Coordinates of all heavy atoms in Angstrom, one line a residue:
M1 N 0.8 -1.2 0.0 CA 0.0 0.0 0.0 C 0.9 1.3 0.0 O 0.6 2.2 -0.7 CB -0.9 0.0 1.2 CG -1.9 1.1 1.3 SD -3.1 1.0 0.0 CE -4.2 2.2 0.5
A2 N 1.9 1.3 0.8 CA 2.8 2.4 0.9 C 3.5 2.7 -0.5 O 3.7 3.8 -0.9 CB 3.8 2.3 2.0
R3 N 3.8 1.6 -1.2 CA 4.5 1.7 -2.5 C 3.5 2.4 -3.5 O 4.0 3.2 -4.3 CB 4.9 0.3 -2.9 CG 5.6 0.3 -4.3 CD 7.0 0.8 -4.2 NE 7.6 0.8 -5.5 CZ 8.3 1.7 -6.1 NH1 8.5 2.8 -5.5 NH2 8.7 1.6 -7.3
A4 N 2.3 2.0 -3.4 CA 1.3 2.5 -4.4 C 1.1 4.0 -4.1 O 1.0 4.8 -5.0 CB 0.0 1.8 -4.2
L5 N 1.1 4.4 -2.8 CA 1.0 5.8 -2.4 C 2.2 6.6 -3.0 O 2.0 7.7 -3.5 CB 0.8 5.9 -0.9 CG 0.7 7.4 -0.4 CD1 -0.6 8.0 -1.0 CD2 0.6 7.4 1.1
Q6 N 3.4 6.0 -2.8 CA 4.6 6.7 -3.4 C 4.5 6.9 -4.9 O 4.9 8.0 -5.4 CB 5.8 5.9 -3.0 CG 6.2 5.9 -1.6 CD 7.4 5.0 -1.3 OE1 7.7 4.1 -2.0 NE2 8.1 5.3 -0.2
L7 N 4.0 5.9 -5.5 CA 3.9 6.0 -7.0 C 2.9 7.1 -7.4 O 3.1 7.9 -8.3 CB 3.4 4.6 -7.6 CG 3.3 4.5 -9.1 CD1 4.6 4.9 -9.7 CD2 2.8 3.2 -9.5
V8 N 1.7 7.1 -6.7 CA 0.7 8.2 -7.0 C 1.3 9.5 -6.7 O 1.1 10.5 -7.5 CB -0.6 7.9 -6.2 CG1 -1.5 9.1 -6.2 CG2 -1.2 6.6 -6.6
E9 N 2.0 9.7 -5.6 CA 2.6 11.0 -5.3 C 3.6 11.4 -6.4 O 3.7 12.6 -6.7 CB 3.3 11.0 -3.9 CG 2.3 10.9 -2.8 CD 2.9 10.7 -1.4 OE1 4.1 10.4 -1.3 OE2 2.2 11.0 -0.4
A10 N 4.4 10.4 -6.8 CA 5.4 10.8 -7.9 C 4.8 11.2 -9.2 O 5.2 12.1 -9.8 CB 6.3 9.5 -8.1
I11 N 3.7 10.5 -9.5 CA 2.9 10.9 -10.7 C 2.3 12.3 -10.6 O 2.4 13.1 -11.5 CB 1.9 9.8 -11.1 CG1 2.5 8.5 -11.5 CG2 0.9 10.3 -12.1 CD1 1.6 7.4 -11.6
A12 N 1.8 12.6 -9.4 CA 1.2 13.9 -9.2 C 2.2 15.0 -9.2 O 2.0 16.1 -9.8 CB 0.5 13.9 -7.8
K13 N 3.4 14.7 -8.7 CA 4.5 15.7 -8.8 C 4.9 16.0 -10.2 O 5.1 17.2 -10.6 CB 5.7 15.2 -8.0 CG 5.8 15.6 -6.6 CD 7.1 15.2 -6.0 CE 7.1 15.4 -4.5 NZ 8.4 14.9 -3.9
H14 N 4.9 15.0 -11.0 CA 5.3 15.1 -12.4 C 4.3 16.0 -13.1 O 4.7 16.9 -13.9 CB 5.4 13.7 -13.1 CG 5.6 13.8 -14.6 ND1 6.8 14.1 -15.1 CD2 4.7 13.7 -15.6 CE1 6.7 14.2 -16.4 NE2 5.5 13.9 -16.7
F15 N 3.1 15.8 -12.9 CA 2.1 16.6 -13.6 C 1.9 18.0 -13.0 O 1.4 18.9 -13.7 CB 0.7 15.9 -13.7 CG 0.7 14.8 -14.7 CD1 0.8 13.4 -14.3 CD2 0.8 15.0 -16.0 CE1 0.8 12.4 -15.2 CE2 0.8 14.0 -17.0 CZ 0.8 12.7 -16.5
A16 N 2.3 18.2 -11.8 CA 2.2 19.5 -11.2 C 3.4 20.4 -11.4 O 3.4 21.5 -11.1 CB 1.9 19.3 -9.7
A17 N 4.5 19.8 -12.0 CA 5.7 20.5 -12.2 C 5.4 21.7 -13.1 O 4.7 21.6 -14.1 CB 6.7 19.6 -12.8
P18 N 6.0 22.9 -12.7 CA 5.8 24.1 -13.6 C 6.4 23.9 -15.0 O 7.4 23.2 -15.1 CB 6.6 25.2 -12.8 CG 7.4 24.5 -11.8 CD 6.9 23.1 -11.6
R19 N 5.7 24.4 -15.9 CA 6.0 24.2 -17.3 C 6.5 25.6 -17.9 O 5.9 26.6 -17.6 CB 4.8 23.7 -18.1 CG 5.2 23.3 -19.5 CD 4.0 22.6 -20.2 NE 4.2 22.8 -21.6 CZ 3.3 23.0 -22.5 NH1 2.1 23.0 -22.2 NH2 3.6 23.1 -23.7
D20 N 7.5 25.6 -18.7 CA 8.0 26.8 -19.3 C 6.9 27.4 -20.2 O 6.5 26.7 -21.2 CB 9.2 26.5 -20.1 CG 9.8 27.7 -20.8 OD1 9.3 28.8 -20.6 OD2 10.9 27.6 -21.5
P21 N 6.4 28.6 -19.9 CA 5.3 29.1 -20.7 C 5.7 29.4 -22.2 O 4.8 29.6 -23.0 CB 4.9 30.4 -20.0 CG 6.1 30.7 -19.2 CD 6.8 29.4 -18.8
L22 N 7.0 29.5 -22.4 CA 7.5 29.8 -23.8 C 7.8 28.5 -24.6 O 8.3 28.6 -25.7 CB 8.7 30.7 -23.7 CG 8.4 32.1 -23.1 CD1 9.7 32.9 -23.1 CD2 7.3 32.8 -23.9
E23 N 7.6 27.4 -24.0 CA 8.0 26.1 -24.6 C 7.5 25.9 -26.0 O 8.2 25.5 -26.9 CB 7.5 24.9 -23.7 CG 8.0 23.6 -24.1 CD 7.6 22.5 -23.1 OE1 7.4 22.8 -21.9 OE2 7.4 21.4 -23.6
N24 N 6.2 26.2 -26.2 CA 5.6 26.0 -27.5 C 6.2 27.0 -28.5 O 6.5 26.6 -29.7 CB 4.1 26.2 -27.5 CG 3.4 25.1 -26.8 OD1 4.0 24.1 -26.4 ND2 2.1 25.2 -26.6
Y25 N 6.5 28.2 -28.1 CA 7.1 29.2 -29.0 C 8.5 28.8 -29.4 O 8.9 28.9 -30.5 CB 7.1 30.6 -28.4 CG 5.7 31.1 -28.2 CD1 5.1 31.2 -27.0 CD2 4.9 31.5 -29.3 CE1 3.8 31.7 -26.8 CE2 3.6 32.0 -29.2 CZ 3.1 32.1 -27.9 OH 1.8 32.5 -27.8
K26 N 9.2 28.2 -28.4 CA 10.6 27.7 -28.7 C 10.5 26.6 -29.7 O 11.4 26.5 -30.6 CB 11.2 27.3 -27.4 CG 11.6 28.4 -26.5 CD 12.2 27.9 -25.2 CE 12.4 29.1 -24.2 NZ 12.9 28.6 -22.9
A27 N 9.6 25.7 -29.6 CA 9.4 24.6 -30.5 C 9.1 25.1 -31.9 O 9.6 24.6 -32.9 CB 8.4 23.6 -30.0
L28 N 8.2 26.1 -32.0 CA 7.8 26.6 -33.3 C 9.1 27.3 -33.9 O 9.3 27.2 -35.1 CB 6.7 27.6 -33.2 CG 5.3 26.9 -32.9 CD1 4.3 27.9 -32.6 CD2 4.9 26.1 -34.1
E29 N 9.8 28.0 -33.1 CA 11.0 28.7 -33.6 C 12.0 27.7 -34.1 O 12.6 27.9 -35.2 CB 11.6 29.6 -32.5 CG 12.6 30.6 -33.0 CD 13.0 31.6 -31.9 OE1 13.3 31.2 -30.8 OE2 12.9 32.8 -32.3
Y30 N 12.2 26.6 -33.4 CA 13.1 25.6 -33.8 C 12.7 25.0 -35.1 O 13.5 24.8 -36.0 CB 13.2 24.5 -32.7 CG 14.2 23.5 -33.0 CD1 15.6 23.7 -32.6 CD2 13.9 22.3 -33.6 CE1 16.5 22.7 -32.9 CE2 14.8 21.3 -33.8 CZ 16.1 21.5 -33.5 OH 17.1 20.5 -33.7
A31 N 11.4 24.7 -35.3 CA 10.8 24.1 -36.5 C 11.0 25.1 -37.7 O 11.4 24.6 -38.8 CB 9.3 23.8 -36.3
A32 N 10.9 26.4 -37.4 CA 11.1 27.4 -38.5 C 12.6 27.4 -38.9 O 12.9 27.4 -40.1 CB 10.6 28.7 -38.0
E33 N 13.5 27.4 -37.9 CA 14.9 27.5 -38.2 C 15.4 26.3 -39.0 O 16.3 26.4 -39.8 CB 15.7 27.6 -36.9 CG 15.6 29.0 -36.2 CD 16.2 29.0 -34.9 OE1 16.8 28.0 -34.4 OE2 16.1 30.0 -34.2
H34 N 14.8 25.1 -38.8 CA 15.3 23.9 -39.4 C 14.4 23.4 -40.5 O 14.5 22.3 -41.0 CB 15.4 22.8 -38.3 CG 16.5 23.1 -37.3 ND1 16.3 23.9 -36.2 CD2 17.8 22.8 -37.3 CE1 17.4 24.0 -35.5 NE2 18.4 23.3 -36.2
N35 N 13.5 24.3 -41.0 CA 12.6 24.0 -42.1 C 11.8 22.7 -42.0 O 11.6 21.9 -42.9 CB 13.4 23.9 -43.4 CG 14.0 25.2 -43.7 OD1 13.4 26.3 -43.7 ND2 15.3 25.2 -44.1
F36 N 11.3 22.4 -40.7 CA 10.5 21.3 -40.5 C 9.1 21.5 -41.1 O 8.6 22.6 -41.2 CB 10.3 21.0 -39.0 CG 11.5 20.5 -38.3 CD1 11.5 20.4 -36.9 CD2 12.6 20.1 -39.0 CE1 12.6 20.0 -36.2 CE2 13.8 19.6 -38.3 CZ 13.7 19.6 -36.9
I37 N 8.5 20.4 -41.5 CA 7.1 20.4 -41.9 C 6.3 19.7 -40.9 O 6.6 18.5 -40.6 CB 6.9 19.8 -43.3 CG1 7.6 20.7 -44.4 CG2 5.4 19.7 -43.7 CD1 7.6 20.1 -45.8
L38 N 5.4 20.3 -40.2 CA 4.7 19.7 -39.1 C 3.3 19.3 -39.5 O 2.6 19.9 -40.3 CB 4.5 20.8 -38.0 CG 5.8 21.4 -37.4 CD1 5.4 22.5 -36.4 CD2 6.7 20.3 -36.8
P39 N 2.8 18.2 -38.9 CA 1.4 17.7 -39.2 C 0.4 18.7 -38.6 O 0.8 19.4 -37.6 CB 1.4 16.3 -38.7 CG 2.4 16.3 -37.6 CD 3.5 17.2 -38.1
S40 N -0.8 18.7 -39.1 CA -1.8 19.6 -38.5 C -2.0 19.4 -37.0 O -2.2 20.4 -36.3 CB -3.2 19.3 -39.2 OG -3.1 19.6 -40.5
S41 N -1.9 18.1 -36.5 CA -2.1 17.9 -35.1 C -1.0 18.6 -34.2 O -1.3 19.1 -33.2 CB -2.1 16.4 -34.8 OG -0.9 15.8 -35.2
K42 N 0.2 18.6 -34.7 CA 1.3 19.3 -34.0 C 1.1 20.8 -34.0 O 1.4 21.5 -33.1 CB 2.6 18.9 -34.6 CG 3.8 19.4 -33.8 CD 3.8 19.0 -32.3 CE 4.2 17.6 -32.1 NZ 4.3 17.3 -30.6
V43 N 0.6 21.3 -35.2 CA 0.4 22.8 -35.3 C -0.7 23.2 -34.3 O -0.6 24.2 -33.5 CB 0.0 23.2 -36.7 CG1 -0.5 24.6 -36.7 CG2 1.1 23.0 -37.7
L44 N -1.7 22.4 -34.2 CA -2.8 22.6 -33.2 C -2.3 22.6 -31.8 O -2.6 23.5 -31.0 CB -3.9 21.6 -33.3 CG -5.0 21.6 -32.3 CD1 -5.8 22.9 -32.3 CD2 -6.0 20.4 -32.6
E45 N -1.4 21.6 -31.5 CA -0.8 21.5 -30.1 C 0.1 22.7 -29.8 O 0.0 23.3 -28.7 CB 0.0 20.2 -30.1 CG 0.7 20.0 -28.8 CD 1.6 18.8 -28.8 OE1 1.3 17.8 -29.5 OE2 2.6 18.8 -28.1
L46 N 0.9 23.1 -30.7 CA 1.9 24.2 -30.5 C 1.3 25.6 -30.6 O 1.7 26.5 -29.8 CB 3.1 24.0 -31.4 CG 3.9 22.7 -31.1 CD1 5.0 22.6 -32.2 CD2 4.5 22.7 -29.7
A47 N 0.5 25.8 -31.6 CA 0.0 27.1 -31.9 C -1.4 27.4 -31.2 O -1.8 28.5 -31.1 CB -0.2 27.4 -33.4
G48 N -2.0 26.3 -30.8 CA -3.3 26.5 -30.1 C -4.5 26.8 -31.0 O -5.5 27.3 -30.6
V49 N -4.3 26.6 -32.3 CA -5.4 26.9 -33.3 C -5.3 25.8 -34.4 O -4.3 25.3 -34.8 CB -5.2 28.3 -33.9 CG1 -3.9 28.4 -34.7 CG2 -6.3 28.7 -34.8
K50 N -6.5 25.4 -34.8 CA -6.6 24.4 -35.9 C -6.2 25.1 -37.2 O -6.7 26.1 -37.6 CB -8.1 23.9 -36.0 CG -8.3 22.8 -37.0 CD -9.7 22.4 -37.0 CE -9.9 21.3 -38.0 NZ -11.3 20.8 -38.0
P51 N -5.3 24.4 -37.9 CA -4.8 25.0 -39.2 C -6.0 25.1 -40.2 O -6.8 24.2 -40.2 CB -3.8 23.9 -39.7 CG -3.4 23.2 -38.5 CD -4.6 23.2 -37.6
H52 N -5.9 26.2 -41.0 CA -7.0 26.4 -42.0 C -6.4 27.1 -43.2 O -5.4 27.8 -43.1 CB -8.1 27.2 -41.3 CG -7.6 28.5 -40.8 ND1 -7.0 28.6 -39.5 CD2 -7.6 29.8 -41.3 CE1 -6.7 29.9 -39.3 NE2 -7.1 30.6 -40.3
G53 N -7.1 26.9 -44.3 CA -6.7 27.6 -45.5 C -5.4 27.0 -46.1 O -5.0 25.9 -45.7
T54 N -4.8 27.8 -46.9 CA -3.5 27.4 -47.4 C -2.3 28.1 -46.7 O -1.2 27.7 -46.8 CB -3.3 27.6 -48.9 OG1 -3.6 29.0 -49.2 CG2 -4.3 26.8 -49.7
E55 N -2.7 29.2 -46.0 CA -1.7 29.9 -45.3 C -2.4 30.7 -44.2 O -3.4 31.3 -44.4 CB -0.9 30.9 -46.2 CG 0.2 31.6 -45.6 CD 1.0 32.5 -46.6 OE1 1.7 31.9 -47.3 OE2 0.8 33.7 -46.6
F56 N -1.8 30.8 -43.0 CA -2.4 31.6 -41.9 C -1.3 32.0 -41.0 O -0.2 31.5 -41.0 CB -3.5 30.9 -41.2 CG -3.1 29.8 -40.3 CD1 -2.8 29.9 -39.0 CD2 -2.8 28.5 -40.8 CE1 -2.4 28.9 -38.2 CE2 -2.4 27.4 -40.0 CZ -2.2 27.6 -38.7
E57 N -1.6 33.1 -40.2 CA -0.6 33.6 -39.3 C -1.2 33.5 -37.9 O -2.4 33.7 -37.7 CB -0.2 35.1 -39.6 CG 0.5 35.2 -40.9 CD 0.9 36.7 -41.2 OE1 0.7 37.6 -40.3 OE2 1.4 36.9 -42.3
R58 N -0.3 33.2 -36.9 CA -0.7 33.1 -35.5 C 0.5 33.7 -34.7 O 1.6 33.1 -34.8 CB -1.0 31.7 -35.1 CG -1.3 31.5 -33.7 CD -2.6 31.9 -33.3 NE -2.9 31.5 -32.0 CZ -4.1 31.6 -31.4 NH1 -5.1 32.1 -32.1 NH2 -4.3 31.2 -30.2
G59 N 0.3 34.8 -34.1 CA 1.3 35.4 -33.3 C 2.4 35.9 -34.3 O 2.2 36.5 -35.3
S60 N 3.7 35.5 -34.0 CA 4.8 35.9 -34.9 C 5.2 34.7 -35.8 O 6.4 34.7 -36.2 CB 6.0 36.3 -34.0 OG 6.3 35.2 -33.1
F61 N 4.2 33.8 -36.1 CA 4.5 32.7 -37.0 C 3.6 32.7 -38.2 O 2.4 33.0 -38.0 CB 4.5 31.4 -36.3 CG 5.6 31.3 -35.2 CD1 5.3 31.6 -33.9 CD2 6.9 30.9 -35.5 CE1 6.2 31.6 -32.9 CE2 7.8 30.8 -34.5 CZ 7.5 31.2 -33.2
R62 N 4.1 32.3 -39.4 CA 3.2 32.0 -40.5 C 3.3 30.5 -40.8 O 4.4 30.0 -40.8 CB 3.7 32.8 -41.7 CG 2.9 32.5 -43.0 CD 3.4 33.3 -44.2 NE 3.1 34.7 -44.0 CZ 4.0 35.7 -44.2 NH1 5.3 35.4 -44.6 NH2 3.7 36.9 -43.9
F63 N 2.2 30.0 -41.1 CA 2.1 28.5 -41.4 C 1.6 28.4 -42.9 O 0.5 29.0 -43.2 CB 1.1 27.8 -40.5 CG 1.5 27.9 -39.0 CD1 1.1 29.0 -38.3 CD2 2.2 27.0 -38.4 CE1 1.5 29.2 -36.9 CE2 2.6 27.1 -37.1 CZ 2.2 28.2 -36.4
T64 N 2.3 27.7 -43.7 CA 1.9 27.5 -45.1 C 1.8 26.0 -45.3 O 2.7 25.2 -45.0 CB 3.0 28.0 -46.0 OG1 3.3 29.4 -45.6 CG2 2.6 27.9 -47.4
R65 N 0.6 25.6 -45.9 CA 0.3 24.2 -46.2 C 1.4 23.7 -47.2 O 1.7 24.4 -48.2 CB -1.1 24.1 -46.8 CG -1.4 22.6 -46.9 CD -2.8 22.4 -47.6 NE -3.8 23.3 -47.0 CZ -5.0 22.9 -46.6 NH1 -5.3 21.6 -46.7 NH2 -5.8 23.7 -46.0
S66 N 1.9 22.5 -46.9 CA 3.0 22.0 -47.7 C 2.9 20.5 -47.8 O 3.6 19.8 -47.0 CB 4.3 22.5 -47.1 OG 5.4 22.0 -47.9
G67 N 2.1 20.0 -48.6 CA 1.9 18.5 -48.8 C 1.1 17.8 -47.7 O 0.3 18.5 -47.0
K68 N 1.4 16.5 -47.6 CA 0.7 15.7 -46.6 C 1.7 14.9 -45.8 O 2.8 14.6 -46.2 CB -0.2 14.7 -47.4 CG -1.3 15.2 -48.2 CD -2.4 15.7 -47.4 CE -3.6 14.8 -47.4 NZ -4.7 15.3 -46.6
I69 N 1.3 14.7 -44.6 CA 2.1 13.8 -43.7 C 1.1 12.7 -43.2 O 0.2 13.0 -42.4 CB 2.7 14.5 -42.5 CG1 3.6 15.6 -43.0 CG2 3.4 13.6 -41.5 CD1 4.2 16.5 -41.9
G70 N 1.1 11.6 -43.8 CA 0.1 10.6 -43.5 C -1.2 11.1 -44.0 O -1.4 11.5 -45.1
G71 N -2.2 11.1 -43.1 CA -3.6 11.6 -43.5 C -3.8 13.0 -43.2 O -4.9 13.5 -43.4
Q72 N -2.7 13.7 -42.7 CA -2.9 15.1 -42.3 C -2.1 16.0 -43.3 O -1.2 15.6 -44.0 CB -2.3 15.3 -40.9 CG -2.9 14.5 -39.8 CD -2.3 14.8 -38.5 OE1 -2.0 15.9 -38.1 NE2 -2.0 13.7 -37.7
S73 N -2.5 17.3 -43.3 CA -1.8 18.2 -44.1 C -0.5 18.5 -43.4 O -0.4 18.5 -42.1 CB -2.6 19.6 -44.2 OG -3.8 19.4 -44.9
G74 N 0.5 18.8 -44.2 CA 1.8 19.3 -43.6 C 1.9 20.8 -43.6 O 1.3 21.4 -44.5
W75 N 2.5 21.4 -42.6 CA 2.6 22.8 -42.5 C 4.0 23.3 -42.3 O 4.7 22.8 -41.4 CB 1.7 23.3 -41.4 CG 0.3 23.0 -41.6 CD1 -0.4 21.9 -41.2 CD2 -0.6 23.9 -42.2 NE1 -1.7 22.0 -41.6 CE2 -1.9 23.2 -42.3 CE3 -0.6 25.1 -42.9 CZ2 -3.0 23.7 -42.8 CZ3 -1.7 25.7 -43.4 CH2 -2.9 25.0 -43.4
R76 N 4.5 24.2 -43.2 CA 5.9 24.8 -43.0 C 5.7 26.0 -42.1 O 4.8 26.8 -42.3 CB 6.4 25.2 -44.4 CG 7.8 25.7 -44.3 CD 8.5 25.9 -45.6 NE 8.4 24.7 -46.5 CZ 9.3 23.7 -46.4 NH1 10.2 23.7 -45.5 NH2 9.2 22.7 -47.3
V77 N 6.6 26.1 -41.2 CA 6.6 27.2 -40.2 C 7.6 28.3 -40.6 O 8.7 27.9 -40.9 CB 6.8 26.7 -38.8 CG1 6.7 27.8 -37.8 CG2 6.0 25.5 -38.4
E78 N 7.2 29.5 -40.5 CA 8.1 30.7 -40.8 C 7.9 31.7 -39.6 O 6.8 32.0 -39.3 CB 7.7 31.3 -42.1 CG 8.5 32.5 -42.5 CD 8.0 33.2 -43.7 OE1 7.1 32.6 -44.4 OE2 8.5 34.3 -44.0
K79 N 9.1 32.1 -39.1 CA 9.0 33.2 -38.1 C 9.0 34.5 -38.8 O 9.8 34.8 -39.6 CB 10.2 33.1 -37.1 CG 10.1 34.0 -36.0 CD 11.1 33.6 -34.9 CE 11.0 34.2 -33.6 NZ 10.8 35.4 -33.2
L80 N 8.0 35.3 -38.4 CA 7.9 36.6 -39.0 C 8.7 37.7 -38.3 O 9.2 37.5 -37.2 CB 6.4 37.1 -38.9 CG 5.4 36.2 -39.5 CD1 4.0 36.6 -39.3 CD2 5.7 36.1 -41.0

């Protein structure tokens, strides 16, 4: 029982750990610098908006549709 409690506490600590509020922006900036093409699901996760159209801007980034990745659209990221 004590072992289970330790495990639950360790999991709770992991999820309660403070997260860098700029983490998503850093990931987008890295993707832009390295010419990555991200799937729609990753753009949604990092930019917080569902990709739409052939090109859109969110904050200081421009996303341009660029082919397919599996069943999803691919998006090239550019820092403005």
Side-chain angles (χ1 to χ4, degrees):
M1 182 69 167
R3 178 76 179 134
L5 181 58
Q6 288 176 338
L7 182 59
V8 169
E9 288 174 346
I11 292 170
K13 268 188 192 176
H14 172 75
F15 286 107
R19 189 174 158 215
D20 180 0
L22 299 177
E23 185 176 334
N24 289 354
Y25 294 107
K26 290 175 184 177
L28 287 170
E29 191 169 54
Y30 185 85
E33 288 173 2
H34 293 86
N35 296 314
F36 289 170
I37 296 176
L38 304 176
S40 295
S41 59
K42 187 55 79 173
V43 172
L44 174 60
E45 177 186 330
L46 295 174
V49 63
K50 184 177 178 182
H52 56 280
T54 57
E55 184 176 285
F56 70 96
E57 292 181 8
R58 174 77 171 187
S60 58
F61 296 95
R62 177 180 293 131
F63 300 87
T64 305
R65 189 184 310 232
S66 183
K68 296 285 254 181
I69 300 176
Q72 301 181 42
S73 294
W75 296 90
R76 185 171 305 280
V77 184
E78 177 188 353
K79 188 164 189 317
L80 301 176

